[in-house]
Amino acid sequence: MVREPRQERSRTTRLRLMEAAVDCLAEFGWTGTTVGVVAERAGVSRGAAQHHFPTREDLVVATVEYLAEQQIAELRRRADTLPPGRRRAEPVARLLLNTYTGPKFRAALHLWVAASTDDALRAVLAPLEAKVGREAHRVAVDLLDADESRPGVRETVQATLDLARGLGLADLLSDDSKRRERLVRQWARMVEPIIGE
C-alpha cells in the first residue's frame, strides 16, 4: 500500500475541515459550529482539527478565504463560456445573481449575523469580507467587460452584487428561483449598456 505524503495528507485534512465548516455553519449557525462539531463532520479527531485550526476563528477565516477562492475561480471558469458583446448580459446577470444561493451563502450569512453582535468575530471577519467584496467586484467588472471610467458603471456593478445578495436572502426561506429568473432578465436589460463591445 502506498502512503499519501504527509504534506498532501495535511492539505487534505485542512480541506475536509473547511468543507465541513461550511456544512456546519449552514446547518447549525455560528453558535452550533464548534471545532469539535466540525472535526466530527470531517471525520478527523478534535486534536487534528485543533492542530490545523487552534481556534474557531482561525477555522472561520480559513474557510471564508477558501470559499471566496472557490467562488471566484468558478466565476472565472464560466467566463470562458460567455458569448461576446452585449449578448453576454443575460448569462452574466444569471451567473452573478445565482452566486449568492445555496449552502455556501447560508454559511456566510450565519457568520455575518453573528459578527454583527460579536466584536471578536467582526474584527477578523470584516477585513476579510472587504477583501472578498473587492475581488467579487473585480470579477463582475471582468465578466461584464465593463469600463469603470464611464459614469455610473462602478455603481451599476456594485448594485448587481448587492441585488444578488438580496435575492440570496429571499431564497433562504423558500424557493425564490422563479422570481429570481424574471429579475435576471430585467437586470440583464439594465446592465446591457455598460457591457463592452
Side-chain angles (χ1 to χ4, degrees):
M1 177 170 106
V2 176
R3 288 185 48 133
E4 188 177 27
R6 184 178 306 194
Q7 187 175 4
E8 184 59 28
R9 277 195 319 268
S10 178
R11 193 184 75 71
T12 300
T13 299
R14 283 180 63 84
L15 184 60
R16 285 174 46 199
L17 286 164
M18 290 184 290
E19 289 173 349
V22 172
D23 293 342
C24 290
L25 284 164
E27 188 175 338
F28 307 124
W30 171 247
T31 56
T33 301
T34 64
V35 174
V37 168
V38 171
E40 184 177 329
R41 175 70 60 97
V44 303
S45 71
R46 183 182 173 96
Q50 288 185 308
H51 168 75
H52 290 283
F53 304 106
T55 68
R56 181 167 61 158
E57 287 78 8
D58 294 332
L59 175 59
V60 165
V61 167
T63 299
V64 170
E65 287 177 331
Y66 167 74
L67 283 177
E69 288 168 8
Q70 295 297 306
Q71 185 178 41
I72 298 301
E74 178 63 21
L75 288 172
R76 290 203 185 279
R77 273 193 299 279
R78 291 185 181 189
D80 295 337
T81 66
L82 296 171
R86 298 215 165 141
R87 290 189 349 230
R88 74 189 304 129
E90 191 169 321
V92 170
R94 183 170 292 106
L95 186 60
L96 292 174
L97 270 56
N98 288 333
T99 297
Y100 295 93
T101 58
K104 292 176 182 175
F105 178 70
R106 186 179 301 266
L109 182 60
H110 280 293
L111 289 174
W112 295 340
V113 170
S116 72
T117 57
D118 182 325
D119 292 339
L121 180 59
R122 183 172 46 250
V124 296
L125 196 59
L128 187 55
E129 282 298 326
K131 175 183 166 190
V132 169
R134 286 189 301 273
E135 184 60 22
H137 187 96
R138 271 194 295 277
V139 170
V141 168
D142 291 346
L143 290 173
L144 292 165
D145 193 22
D147 177 1
E148 285 194 297
S149 69
R150 293 173 37 213
V153 170
R154 180 170 183 71
E155 293 78 9
T156 302
V157 171
Q158 192 57 52
T160 302
L161 295 172
D162 291 343
L163 173 62
R165 279 189 291 273
L167 290 172
L169 283 172
D171 199 57
L172 286 174
L173 298 177
S174 64
D175 182 2
D176 198 45
S177 53
K178 286 182 183 174
R179 185 173 75 98
R180 188 171 54 250
E181 185 54 32
R182 288 192 308 271
L183 290 172
V184 162
R185 289 191 299 272
Q186 177 60 31
W187 195 253
R189 287 191 285 275
M190 295 175 76
V191 299
E192 239 178 52
I194 73 164
I195 292 179
E197 293 298 328

